[in-house]
Amino acid sequence: MHTPRELAHELGYTNESRPGQVVRVYLRAKYPEHPKHERWELDEAQADDVRANVPRGD
């Protein structure tokens, strides 16, 4: 399982004030039915989707 924080770090977002925020924003748009305050735990297919659709950070 992957977390938004881990994926954001992998994509180069290392200085976010809220680690993983860029990934959570994408996930909320893609999966609006996900309960807002429930923890995100992504399987490999979801993680690959994030990797393919969230731009790399600086």
Side-chain angles (χ1 to χ4, degrees):
M1 295 306 241
H2 301 275
T3 66
R5 178 183 216 145
E6 293 167 343
L7 290 168
H9 191 352
E10 180 183 321
L11 291 170
Y13 293 92
T14 56
N15 293 321
E16 289 181 295
S17 61
R18 296 189 63 209
Q21 182 69 25
V22 68
V23 174
R24 284 190 300 276
V25 167
Y26 170 76
L27 292 171
R28 282 190 203 111
K30 176 124 182 160
Y31 304 102
E33 70 283 355
H34 184 81
K36 187 166 184 167
H37 297 290
E38 189 174 306
R39 181 177 170 91
W40 289 96
E41 293 186 351
L42 308 171
D43 62 27
E44 199 60 42
Q46 292 167 319
D48 286 343
D49 177 62
V50 168
R51 291 179 185 111
N53 291 293
V54 173
R56 292 206 163 264
D58 295 330

